């Protein structure tokens, strides 16, 4: 999996890193138990501060996407992915509601919004199928 960060983006780098790792898991290109580079190695490989990688890894661990072992290093959660929690639902709604509201203001129909979601879902899952 190749990490591509946009240093000019308004989205914080640690957030971009988290999103790409989660997308890699969702697509299947990162499988349960797969190792990730150490904090130091990841920072060096993509040219960012190691504290940024550490923050991303810490948040991914807190959310249940990765495990950090002293001996094994960082691995994708081998047991199961985190489920839908009330906290996740609140976070999801906080992100999606303004996007949907803006889309409605711009004249995007419900069917168009649903199609966009379907297309993105297919893009992510088909990416994983190509990597198998």
């Amino acid at each position: 999996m190749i990490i591509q960060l946009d240093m000019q983006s308004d989205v914080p780098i640690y957030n971009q890193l988290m999103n790409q790792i989660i997308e890699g898991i969702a697509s299947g290109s990162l499988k349960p138990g797969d190792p990730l580079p150490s904090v130091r190695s990841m920072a060096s490989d993509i040219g960012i501060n190691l504290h940024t990688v550490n923050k991303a890894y810490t948040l991914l661990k807190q959310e249940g996407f990765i495990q950090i072992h002293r001996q094994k290093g960082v691995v994708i959660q081998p047991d199961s992915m985190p489920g839908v929690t009330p906290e996740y639902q609140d976070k999801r709604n906080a992100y999606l509601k303004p996007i949907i509201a803006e889309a409605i203001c711009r004249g995007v129909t419900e069917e168009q919004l649903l199609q966009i979601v379907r297309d993105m879902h297919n893009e992510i899952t088909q990416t994983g199928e190509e990597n198998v």
Side-chain angles (χ1 to χ4, degrees):
M1 181 179 156
I2 298 173
I3 302 291
Q4 295 178 334
L5 303 176
D6 180 358
M7 302 302 182
Q8 306 306 315
S9 174
D10 291 336
V11 178
I13 294 170
Y14 76 90
N15 215 330
Q16 291 180 52
L17 181 56
M18 287 178 59
N19 291 342
Q20 289 197 24
I21 291 170
I22 291 170
E23 187 174 328
I25 296 167
S27 72
S29 61
L30 290 173
K31 301 197 180 333
D34 280 356
L36 289 175
S38 69
V39 169
R40 189 174 308 277
S41 178
M42 175 74 82
S44 175
D45 290 348
I46 57 181
I48 60 174
N49 189 296
L50 64 94
H51 296 295
T52 303
V53 176
N54 191 50
K55 183 172 185 173
Y57 279 8
T58 299
L59 292 170
L60 286 167
K61 180 182 176 189
Q62 288 174 355
E63 292 185 20
F65 290 102
I66 64 172
Q67 288 184 351
I68 301 174
H69 298 281
R70 290 203 187 275
Q71 294 89 3
K72 296 179 187 177
V74 182
V75 297
I76 302 302
Q77 178 61 258
D79 302 325
S80 64
M81 285 294 113
V84 177
T85 62
E87 294 81 13
Y88 165 74
Q89 290 175 325
D90 291 344
K91 177 179 157 182
R92 178 199 59 210
N93 292 347
Y95 284 119
L96 287 177
K97 196 168 191 175
I99 292 168
I100 293 169
E102 182 177 350
I104 291 167
C105 289
R106 292 177 180 269
V108 178
T109 67
E110 179 181 2
E111 186 52 45
Q112 289 170 321
L113 275 172
L114 293 173
Q115 188 59 51
I116 290 166
V117 171
R118 283 186 206 103
D119 291 346
M120 287 183 179
H121 184 280
N122 289 336
E123 178 184 328
I124 291 169
T125 56
Q126 288 172 1
T127 299
E129 292 170 5
E130 293 168 5
N131 292 330
V132 175

